[in-house]
Amino acid sequence: MIYIGSHLSVAKGYTHMAETMVDYGGNTFAFFLRSPRGGAAKEIDPEDAAGMRKIVEEQGFGPLVAHAPYTMNLAAAKNEIRMKAEKMMREDLSRMDEFFPGNFYNFHPGSHVGQGVDIGTYKIAESLNNIVHGDGSTTVLLETMAGKGSEVGRNFEELRELLDRVEFPDRFGVCLDTCHIWDGGYDIAGNLDNVLQEFDWTIGLDRLYAIHLNDSMNVCGSHKDRHQKLGQGEIGAEALKAVVQHPALQGKPFILETPNEPAGYKKEIAEVKGWMRKD
Ligand code: FE
Ligand code: FE
Ligand code: ZN
C-alpha cells in the first residue's frame, strides 16, 4: 500500500486540514506553513496544531509533507534574498519540529539565476549546512525539478551532488514529482523500471521519502512544469497507475498537486485507492 492525499490550504487552520483529508478519504496531506509566495509566518495556535496531530494519529495517517514557499531561493544571487530564504527555512523547520515532529518538509532546491549550476549548487549546500544540523525530527526533502528556467535539481545527478555536500545527510531525502521528472526528460510512461533503476544508481531509493503524483500538460522533456489532472495529461492514467503500484514505492506518502477543486481531489484519491496494490 501507499499513503494518498493532496495538497491542502491552511487558511482555515491545521485541524481543519486534517478533517478535510478525512472527508476526502485520504491518509496524508501537504501544506504550506506560510503563504506559498513567502512573507511572514502566521503564529500557530498550539490547540489547533494539537487538533491536527490527534486526527492524524487516530486515523493512522502516513507522514505529512509540508512544502516550503516557492519563492524561497537558497541559490539567489543577491545575498539579502538568500539570507531571507535561510531565515524562512529555519523558521519553518523549527515550527515543524515544535508542532508536527517527525514529518517531512519538502523544498525546491533553488534557481541559479544565471550564476551557473555549480555556483547554485555550492550556495544551496552551504545554506542547507547553515540551517540543518544534527538535531531536529523533520526530514528535509529536495524535490526533483522540471528544469524550468535555471532550476537546480533538474536531474538525479544534481540532487545527488547536493546530498553529497550536506553535513547531516540523515536529515535529508528526496521527494519525486512525477510531472517534474517527466518534464525533465525521464520517460516514466515508456520505461518506469529504468527510471527508478537510474534513481537508485544515482541517488539510492533509500533516499526517496515522498511522491508528488501529478500528470503533465506537456510532453516528456518539455521542461515546462505545468501539472495536469491524473489521466488527462501526457503521462496518462496507465503510467500513473504503474507508479502507484510499483514495488519500490510502497509505504510512501503520495501527494496530489493536480489542478483541482475539493470534489476533484476526492475523486482522484478514490481513483488512486482503486489502483493500489492489495498485498
Ligand atoms: Fe513543489
Ligand atoms: Fe511537486
Ligand atoms: Zn510543479
Side-chain angles (χ1 to χ4, degrees):
M1 58 79 76
I2 58 156
Y3 297 103
I4 181 68
S6 67
H7 197 96
L8 295 176
S9 162
V10 74
K12 289 183 183 160
Y14 289 89
T15 306
H16 185 264
M17 279 196 293
E19 288 166 353
T20 302
M21 191 43 63
V22 172
D23 174 53
Y24 285 6
N27 51 8
T28 180
F29 58 93
F31 56 98
F32 291 112
L33 288 145
R34 64 179 81 217
S35 152
R37 277 167 283 104
K42 239 173 77 188
E43 260 202 62
I44 297 176
D45 169 8
E47 263 180 54
D48 185 27
M52 172 170 135
R53 288 196 307 269
K54 186 162 178 271
I55 296 170
V56 162
E57 196 178 312
E58 280 174 1
Q59 300 285 327
F61 277 26
L64 308 174
V65 192
H67 200 301
Y70 292 127
T71 50
M72 192 187 87
N73 187 9
L74 296 177
K78 282 202 184 121
N79 200 48
E80 197 192 318
I81 299 177
R82 208 170 140 231
M83 291 308 113
K84 246 175 87 180
E86 282 192 15
K87 183 170 173 264
M88 256 186 235
M89 188 163 177
R90 204 176 276 120
E91 281 175 7
D92 280 1
L93 285 174
S94 78
R95 285 145 63 91
M96 286 298 291
D97 284 348
E98 182 178 354
F99 295 106
F100 314 112
N103 291 292
F104 303 150
Y105 178 81
N106 144 250
F107 79 108
H108 297 176
S111 292
H112 65 68
V113 289
Q115 302 167 96
V117 68
D118 290 346
I119 289 178
T121 301
Y122 173 85
K123 286 188 169 180
I124 295 164
E126 187 185 64
S127 284
L128 290 175
N129 287 327
N130 287 339
I131 302 163
V132 181
H133 300 113
D135 48 349
S137 67
T138 305
T139 305
V140 179
L141 306 185
L142 288 79
E143 184 165 349
T144 60
M145 301 311 294
K148 180 167 49 79
S150 63
E151 282 171 348
V152 179
R154 64 191 155 162
N155 55 46
F156 300 157
E157 287 77 10
E158 289 187 5
L159 293 180
R160 169 59 192 267
E161 186 66 39
L162 285 166
L163 289 171
D164 279 347
R165 292 185 191 208
V166 293
E167 284 163 29
F168 295 93
D170 291 353
R171 300 254 354 244
F172 291 90
V174 172
C175 172
L176 185 150
D177 186 310
T178 54
C179 168
H180 293 177
I181 64 167
W182 168 262
D183 283 19
Y186 293 98
D187 184 6
I188 53 171
N191 207 331
L192 178 63
D193 280 335
N194 277 14
V195 173
L196 291 177
Q197 182 69 257
E198 197 177 329
F199 186 101
D200 196 28
W201 285 332
T202 313
I203 300 174
L205 282 167
D206 57 329
R207 311 305 302 279
L208 180 56
Y209 285 81
I211 312 289
H212 285 169
L213 189 68
N214 304 307
D215 210 327
S216 172
M217 287 191 186
N218 297 101
V219 295
C220 183
S222 63
H223 304 291
K224 287 268 176 46
D225 191 4
R226 301 276 313 279
H227 301 189
Q228 180 55 293
K229 293 176 185 156
L230 303 188
Q232 295 186 29
E234 296 292 330
I235 302 176
E238 274 315 300
L240 292 168
K241 183 177 172 185
V243 171
V244 167
Q245 295 186 344
H246 201 283
L249 306 179
Q250 299 310 296
K252 300 184 198 303
F254 279 53
I255 304 293
L256 300 165
E257 299 174 310
T258 46
N260 269 312
E261 297 301 314
Y265 278 136
K266 231 175 171 167
K267 197 176 137 254
E268 286 193 343
I269 287 168
E271 190 173 17
V272 170
K273 282 163 83 176
W275 291 346
M276 266 188 224
R277 296 168 74 99
K278 308 294 180 261
D279 51 16

